[in-house]
Structures are given as structure tokens and as C-alpha cells.
Amino acid sequence: DIVINNYFQSITYNSHEPQTWYNLWHVYYSMNKFEQAENSIQKALEIFPESGIYWGALARTEEMLGEKENYRSSLIKAIKYFPASDLNYYVKLVKYDFEQKKYDEALTYINQIIPIYSKYEKSLWYKNDPNWPVMSSNLVILKDFKKKIGEVR
């Protein structure tokens, strides 16, 4: 509670700064206080609605709250405002669309991201990227979804 009190004090002086609300979101999210986390990140988005990072945070929160359609919409906005965002956003969106039998939508996002990461994979410097093993794994997951969609159609 001391941490939250410190953030409330910070909000008193910095309520116009979206980062302040995003930091408060982190605190609430890490404490599993998802309703408060959602309120905090929505405040950040009111100030800076073009932040893919904030939309991604809202999507994570909505996922925890079971707000499925809002979750999907927030993932789409996270990708829209930060197209080179965490590949995991694409994986989550494709997985959600696949589960909802929205195959065309899933394929749209698969076909959007696979070429980007395939080019990255072929570059010389990707081998030094500490995030590459996770990204490579996500790329395999997306290719598997593409194959599954072909099988169910």
C-alpha cells in the first residue's frame, strides 16, 4: 500500500502525464487488482490514445477480466499504433480469432507479420538478439495456425 500511496502522490502532481498512469497500471496489475489497473491504463489512453504500449497493457488487463471482444479490439489497436510490437500480440490475436472461427481475420494478421519476421530472421544480426528464441518460437506458432486454418477450411 505504501507503493500505491506514493503513486497517488505522484498523480497529484503529474496527472497530465500518461506514464504516471501507466506506472500505476503496473502496480495494480502486479497486485492482481485488474479493475483498478484497467481504470489506470484507460486514463493513460485518454491522454495518449496513439500508444501501442498502453493499448497492449489494456489488452492484457481485459484478458484477465475476461472481456473478450474488448481484448481483441485493444490488441488490434496495440498493433495499429505499434506495428513492430511484441510478436506476442499477433500470436494472441490470431489465437483468439482462430478460437472464434474468424479464420479470414486470423490469416490477415498472420500474413501481415510473417514476412516481417522472416526477413528479420534472414538478417545477419538477429542471432545476437537475446529475444530471438522467443520470437522464433512465436513465428513457428503463427505458421502452425496458418496450417491449421488451411486444414479446417
Side-chain angles (χ1 to χ4, degrees):
D1 286 344
I2 292 172
V3 174
I4 292 175
N5 287 336
N6 288 340
Y7 274 108
F8 280 131
Q9 209 169 30
S10 175
I11 287 170
T12 302
Y13 301 106
N14 298 305
S15 63
H16 60 284
E17 292 290 335
Q19 186 67 38
T20 302
W21 293 103
Y22 179 66
N23 292 343
L24 185 59
W25 168 83
H26 265 289
V27 172
Y28 281 133
Y29 190 89
S30 67
M31 296 172 67
N32 296 327
K33 293 184 175 187
F34 301 117
E35 289 85 7
Q36 293 95 329
E38 184 177 40
N39 291 334
S40 298
I41 200 63
Q42 285 174 340
K43 293 278 190 189
L45 283 163
E46 287 173 14
I47 300 166
F48 186 35
E50 297 86 21
S51 172
I53 292 170
Y54 299 162
W55 282 110
L58 181 58
R60 289 174 57 193
T61 307
E62 290 165 339
E63 180 180 28
M64 298 307 292
L65 291 170
E67 299 173 358
K68 296 291 186 179
E69 279 303 313
N70 291 340
Y71 163 72
R72 182 181 189 278
S73 175
S74 294
L75 282 174
I76 290 169
K77 288 177 183 170
I79 291 167
K80 174 184 175 184
Y81 292 117
F82 190 33
S85 66
D86 186 347
L87 184 55
N88 200 32
Y89 292 160
Y90 287 90
V91 171
K92 287 178 177 225
L93 183 56
V94 167
K95 181 177 184 239
Y96 177 81
D97 283 347
F98 183 83
E99 290 169 353
Q100 301 299 311
K101 297 181 174 35
K102 295 179 178 181
Y103 303 126
D104 290 337
E105 290 91 334
L107 279 174
T108 297
Y109 289 102
I110 290 170
N111 291 333
Q112 180 181 343
I113 196 63
I114 285 179
I116 294 169
Y117 279 91
S118 293
K119 286 179 187 175
Y120 178 72
E121 183 178 25
K122 291 176 184 171
S123 72
L124 294 175
W125 51 272
Y126 85 90
K127 293 178 184 174
N128 296 323
D129 186 335
N131 297 316
W132 179 249
V134 173
M135 291 169 31
S136 179
S137 171
N138 283 338
L139 200 52
V140 169
I141 291 168
L142 289 171
K143 288 177 182 179
D144 286 346
F145 271 117
K146 188 172 184 173
K147 183 179 174 185
K148 287 178 187 176
I149 290 169
E151 291 170 1
V152 297
R153 289 182 134 191

